[in-house]
Amino acid sequence: MAEAQSELWGLVEEFVTGQQESKSSEVAAGVKNGVFTVLQVVETLGSCLANPEPRTRGKGVQLLSGVLLECCSRLSEKEVGVLVVFYENRLKDHHLITPHVLQGLMALSMCEVLPQGLAVSVLKSIFQEVHVQSLMQIDRHTVYMIITNFMKTREEELKGLGADFTYGFIQVMDGEKDPRNLLVAFGIVEDIIRKNYSLGPFVEELFEVTSCYFPIDFTPPPNDPHGITREHLILGLRAVLASTPRFAEFLLPLLIEKMDSDVQSAKVDSLQTLSACCTVYGQKELKEFLASLWSSVRREVFQTASEKIEAEGLASLQALSACLSCSVLGPDDEDLLDVFLNNILKDCKHHLCEPDMKLVWPSAKLLQAAAAGSSRACWKVTSNVLPLLLEQYNQHVQSSHRRTILEMTLGFLKLQCKWSVEEENGLSGFKDALCSMVFSAVTDPSAQLHLVAVKSMTVLAMQQGVLSSSETDLVVDHLTRLILQEADSHSCTAAVEASGALAKIHPSAFISSMLPQLCTCLQTGPNDINLNERRVLHDHSLRQRCLEALAAVSTHHSIVKETIPILLNNIKQTQKGQGQFCSSDVVSVCKSLQHVAVQCQLDAKSLHFYHQTVLPCLLSLTVQAATQDTGTYPCINVLLEEDVLSAMVPVFSAACTHIKSELASTSASQIVRLFLDGDVTFLNENNLTFKFQPFQVNGPTEQQNRLVALLMAFVCSLPKNVEIPHLSRLLHHLLSLSLSGCSPFSYSSASKCFAGLINKCPQGEDLDDILQSAAQKIEVGLADEHIRTQAITLLVWVTKALLLRYHPLNGQLTDKMIGLLSDQQLGHSVANMFSILVSDSVDILNKACHADIRIMFRQRFFTENVPKLVQGFNSVIGDHKPNYLKALSHVLNALPKQVLMPELPSLLSLLLEALSCTDQVVQLSTLTCLEPLLLEAPETLKVHIDSLITKLLCLTSSTTMVRRSKSNVFVSQRGKNSH
């Protein structure tokens, strides 16, 4: 005990005499470890605390406060009570001691065992004894934190002070300038108001002590470690100013004054604050100032050249309208919303009729903003404005004027659509006139007018109960006409998009009207139907439009059941040799089928129908084509062409990624049996000329081999929980086909399918066995001159599959690829394949296909393999160096920018050398890598500036336009940075 006391004396002595500041932490550690008690520390400090020299007393209080800050949780209630009394008395001591006293009080304010009533006592002492604004910033911050701590834990006690607490805080905050302290102070004021502390007679004083900072004018110093921005302060102050209606009489005149100023930021801040206030104000607070507020907002929208100010002005007008709409009126109260809207209508309506139409749009925007406040405001405005717009449309004959009027009308229609969900639709009285205007516009010669008319028709038709069934049919007819006859592609696109939106709501109208015409066009072509001769379209263009429209309207199950047979029938005609269809026609149909599949993913019923209808049909058609007698049909069937099969892949994928497990398992079993055993019983038409043997490589089965692409699309897109039957057998067949002498399309599809399956295979012996077999066969293939290309294709896809799931074997396979960069025959191809490893795959091994993809796999690949690429580049000689540069450039360009930037300086020498490479891909990718470095960290290039400029100037004379443009941009940017 004596030894511990002696140690404590020594520590205190060294701290007080100023020899060792760290001794405070040692004393605190001793208290935490039970070597000393807080009482012993106080007793040891006795002589220091009673010393006549203020600095010595201050050192003693500083030591005690430091100990309390670290050990406050260990104090008993009695100890806290004694210490509070001690510290309150010390507030009356010399001003040099005050900062240390405040630190001790902050520690005590965090004690859960603080006796009842002492929080009030401490704050009273601070309010009475401390002139806070004469303290240093950190000490003022300590005062704010004491208040914050007590407000969190002793709210009821503080409220017992009544308005004295509010007045005391006003004195504390008055004159504060430091942004760090202001953020805390604003938070305290907001809590005082929102937690209903008594403001008493000090409402105006509290407003004044905070509003003096409005609008915030603060620019953080460069490299500010605190990270406080002007936006932080603006939001903090706005939360205070908009926290109570009691500030309204003081705040609203201030906002009007700042809105009328010439300072753009002040205008924006004022308008945003007004919008925030409207969420807590009522018409009582706004009444006196409504006219002035409207005048200021109107002027900003009419006269400002700033889009930001205009947008905030319109937002504040909407907020005012919403606020007045929500106010509860007494029996004798005036309806200020009606008065307010009447003023707006009075000031804006006449501009809609002016011949020059100069203020048409500002007036329309103001009226729409006011109407957006509530359903009542919307009805009031639209019922006054729509008749005027309808009249103006009929009076104007120029298409440009009509378009402007229709665009304004569209804005009001959208608002009415928004509020009609809650209230009865208010357009019924204007329906006939609106339909007349819109139908007139959609038949106008102006294509630009068509675009607005289509949007207007869509809004009208989307509102339930507005249009009759005959009017809805007429809308569909107009959309059909634009799709089939309108020469302007933008009008057609708008009509297709509108059809997609409306088909969900009015499926029967599209089934009875649009679909038969689209189907007829697909079957007969444009010359066989009644079209406007001036706008007859090329057969191919019309066919494309029909296919896009069929896909777009497939948003309802009843329509899907109609459109899918139409699309499939087009492909069947190809198979039967009916019509002159080329591969591009079939590709277009497949794209439409894919679009339909994606839309069906949102509806389980439609997706089930799609899966059960489309996939068996396409498989049946392609299998029949692949098993035809090549002697009878010497030319390859169009359905077996590579671009057609490639277009079918996303159709299969989209149909499989979202299906339910039961259906997925059944379909997987059928398709695997089809490819492994030639079981065609589930196909629509299974009377084949020859047996289906897609994995046979020794025979006339080249056309059948191609269909492995469809197998890939199916099995590699299924969810992970779907078990693939006969998986081991299937993988071995795919492995054999990957390394066979079949076409590049076939062996690439087999390799990708193999990779997609092993990516999802569960860890275990089965996976290890197949991977070992694959690795061995790849080694053998690389040694066989006839199948080296097949082997490297399989290698890259297997490597990618394992890389994505962090399988240990991926490192060994990647090393093999890096080693092949110096291969005379394969080096160039392997370098290009590094792009496959790090880029996203479209058809397999992506998130949509449920692949096993670990986070940050690219960063991991970079860390593990870029040093090897650099080492290989430095060690290799001759013509192989560009291969390493190309592989490196692919890896770098796939990295996220924030990851790439810190790594570039260390690779700069290599990248500069890459600019001299003759390979254009390397040059372009290197420029792409260097660009962010030049724009964001140009100082890193200073050492290499001469070499960089020389190489860039050489590239500017390049015959390749893209590369030359990039290097020109680099040179000009480098010039800017040098200044």
Side-chain angles (χ1 to χ4, degrees), residues 230 335 343 364 534 582 884 886 893 979:
R230 179 172 174 269
D335 186 356
N343 285 334
R534 186 172 62 86
C582 62
Y884 288 87
K886 179 175 284 191
N893 276 294
H979 293 296

Side-chain angles (χ1 to χ4, degrees), residues 841-899:
S841 302
V842 177
D843 43 10
I844 60 162
L845 296 176
N846 54 53
K847 291 182 179 179
C849 293
H850 312 288
D852 186 354
I853 302 176
R854 306 300 172 88
I855 61 171
M856 299 175 67
F857 77 90
R858 292 184 180 88
Q859 289 89 319
R860 178 170 175 171
F861 184 84
F862 174 90
T863 303
E864 293 177 351
N865 295 294
V866 165
K868 299 175 184 176
L869 289 171
V870 174
Q871 181 182 1
F873 173 84
N874 291 328
S875 60
V876 77
I877 56 174
D879 298 334
H880 304 308
K881 280 184 177 289
N883 296 336
Y884 288 87
L885 291 175
K886 179 175 284 191
L888 178 64
S889 68
H890 286 311
V891 176
L892 294 180
N893 276 294
L895 278 180
K897 183 179 175 181
Q898 63 271 24
V899 178

Side-chain angles (χ1 to χ4, degrees), residues 761-778:
C761 280
Q763 198 72 34
E765 291 184 7
D766 291 342
L767 177 62
D768 293 341
D769 290 344
I770 192 65
L771 287 177
Q772 183 178 2
S773 175
Q776 291 173 351
K777 290 190 176 184
I778 288 172

